[in-house]
Amino acid sequence: LNFWVVPDSANRNSSSGGMVIYLKEPPAGFDALTFNNVGYGDIDLDAFAAGSPSIVIPYRQNRLVMFKSTLLHATDEHDFFPGYESRRVSVTFLFGKRLQQST
């Protein structure tokens, strides 16, 4: 679950600022911790997601987005006003563990 708490007025572009969900799961053995904290590692996200459908969810205050979190997803391009009260804040809740596929 992701939801956003900053007022819509902080977002300079109402058609962006949310998230992109790629309708494709990463390969078995994918290390999400490294991906989120270091970078894409061995995965070229653009190449991996090429041709895969995606959903762009625009930012809206108090919008909750519920999705299968093993799908690759990323923060959409965003342009919020400067200042503490306009900072884009995303609250995330994760549930369960990804099952490892046997080879």
Side-chain angles (χ1 to χ4, degrees):
L1 298 172
N2 277 42
F3 70 93
W4 302 302
V5 296
V6 175
D8 293 340
S9 60
N11 186 357
R12 295 184 206 199
N13 181 351
S14 63
S15 66
S16 70
M19 68 188 312
V20 179
I21 301 173
Y22 299 94
L23 302 180
K24 186 173 186 179
E25 292 192 46
F30 177 75
D31 180 6
L33 184 63
T34 299
F35 180 84
N36 287 329
N37 292 300
V38 177
Y40 298 150
D42 295 335
I43 292 183
D44 178 349
L45 180 61
D46 294 328
F48 181 76
S52 175
S54 63
I55 300 169
V56 178
I57 299 153
Y59 182 94
R60 297 291 182 272
Q61 181 182 18
N62 293 329
R63 173 170 279 172
L64 180 128
V65 181
M66 183 170 30
F67 63 100
K68 186 176 182 181
S69 63
T70 56
L71 294 172
L72 288 178
H73 54 282
T75 299
D76 191 17
E77 295 291 325
H78 57 281
D79 182 19
F80 282 66
F81 286 101
Y84 177 77
E85 292 182 0
S86 295
R87 293 194 61 146
R88 181 186 182 278
V89 176
S90 176
V91 180
T92 303
F93 294 92
L94 301 173
F95 302 91
K97 295 182 181 180
R98 183 175 186 199
L99 297 175
Q100 295 297 319
Q101 297 176 353
S102 59
T103 56

